[in-house]
Amino acid sequence: MKAFLTRTLLVIVSVILLVQLWIFASLAWWRTNPVNTTMMMRIDYWTESSKPIQHQWRPYDEISTNLKRAVVTAEDGKFMHHHGFDWDGIQTALSRNKNEGRVVAGGSTISQQLAKNLFLVNKRSFLRKGQEAVATWMMERMWSKERILEVYLNSIEFGDNIYGAEAAAKHYFGKTAESLTRDQAIFLAAILTNPKYFEDHRNASALKARKRMIQRYMRYAEIP
């Protein structure tokens, strides 16, 4: 029995170490190479294989500054000042969720969201959150803030099987990510909380409120 438990423990530890090695190697490769697929994209493809993934990589300099500012405002106002985790934001989210009696705020930074989208599934668990934290920690030490934002803008979901700024700009406005106006960027940033829903409900009151918030604070956003 003791030998069995020892072997089982060794297998578990080996699997955990292999996962960390895979994440480390992926982050090392993606430091200079485009990210053309993520775990989120794979899941969408596996569940809706009849509908193609819309995605096209664009370098940081070919993405509108309007979109960079709008997304940072909407998703992570302290992006330039933390090392992957916004502890004040997490505490605020926990307090809001406790007061509401349900999950109404997440508190995840852009780095945490990106780590989840690149490597993990959506299923909530302590194990997934722990792995997300490890991947975020690695990313913040291996990539610059510019690289993190570049990959985030190229991989985040903007609608049903629509990933990245270029695909979103073409889908919603028939233009490139580089040429997005301020109002168009605000719209794209605002839908990130629930892109598949807002894709078909563009006049929803929650979306309008979020757009007003982004418009109000966007001027203060700091970007790489």
Side-chain angles (χ1 to χ4, degrees):
M1 183 65 177
K2 184 177 180 180
F4 172 76
L5 291 175
T6 300
R7 286 196 298 270
T8 301
L9 181 60
L10 285 174
V11 169
I12 293 172
V13 171
S14 297
V15 170
I16 292 173
L17 290 176
L18 284 173
V19 170
Q20 310 320 309
L21 181 60
W22 167 61
I23 291 174
F24 177 84
S26 298
L27 290 172
W29 172 257
W30 285 332
R31 284 182 70 178
T32 55
N33 293 284
V35 179
N36 290 314
T37 186
T38 67
M39 184 61 73
M40 289 291 292
M41 292 182 200
R42 293 189 191 102
I43 292 171
D44 260 358
Y45 178 76
W46 293 334
T47 55
E48 298 183 56
S49 57
S50 61
K51 189 171 184 179
I53 298 293
Q54 298 179 52
H55 175 258
Q56 189 174 1
W57 177 270
R58 279 292 175 265
Y60 188 80
D61 292 339
E62 293 180 21
I63 299 174
S64 167
T65 298
N66 289 320
L67 185 61
K68 296 168 189 173
R69 291 187 180 281
V71 167
V72 168
T73 301
E75 296 297 311
D76 189 358
K78 297 180 181 178
F79 176 64
M80 294 298 295
H81 300 283
H82 62 63
H83 299 289
F85 307 94
D86 178 6
W87 302 111
D88 291 336
I90 292 171
Q91 185 60 50
T92 300
L94 289 173
S95 297
R96 285 186 61 192
N97 294 338
K98 182 179 180 181
N99 292 336
E100 293 289 336
R102 59 191 178 93
V103 178
V104 296
S108 292
T109 63
I110 281 175
S111 303
Q112 287 175 277
Q113 292 179 48
L114 181 56
K116 175 179 71 69
N117 292 341
L118 289 176
F119 301 112
L120 305 169
V121 297
N122 269 331
K123 186 177 180 181
R124 293 177 181 272
S125 70
F126 289 113
L127 180 62
R128 198 216 74 182
K129 290 300 291 185
Q131 184 59 76
E132 177 188 298
V134 173
T136 300
W137 184 87
M138 287 189 198
M139 183 190 300
E140 281 278 343
R141 281 146 187 82
M142 296 175 69
W143 291 2
S144 66
K145 286 290 187 179
E146 179 177 309
R147 183 59 173 174
I148 291 172
L149 187 57
E150 178 184 37
V151 176
Y152 182 84
L153 291 171
N154 271 287
S155 60
I156 195 68
E157 183 183 34
F158 284 97
D160 192 14
N161 283 30
I162 302 166
Y163 287 90
E166 184 72 9
K170 289 181 177 178
H171 176 77
Y172 290 103
F173 305 113
K175 64 196 311 183
T176 65
E178 189 174 17
S179 58
L180 288 167
T181 66
R182 186 171 183 269
D183 286 343
Q184 290 167 345
I186 289 172
F187 169 80
L188 291 179
I191 68 174
L192 290 177
T193 52
N194 197 346
K196 290 181 179 178
Y197 176 81
F198 289 133
E199 182 181 3
D200 297 322
H201 299 83
R202 303 186 192 186
N203 292 315
S205 58
L207 181 60
K208 291 179 179 179
R210 192 159 173 80
K211 286 166 65 177
R212 287 194 296 269
M213 182 278 291
I214 297 169
Q215 188 173 33
R216 180 178 181 181
Y217 294 106
M218 185 172 161
R219 74 185 74 175
Y220 306 112
E222 296 180 52
I223 59 174

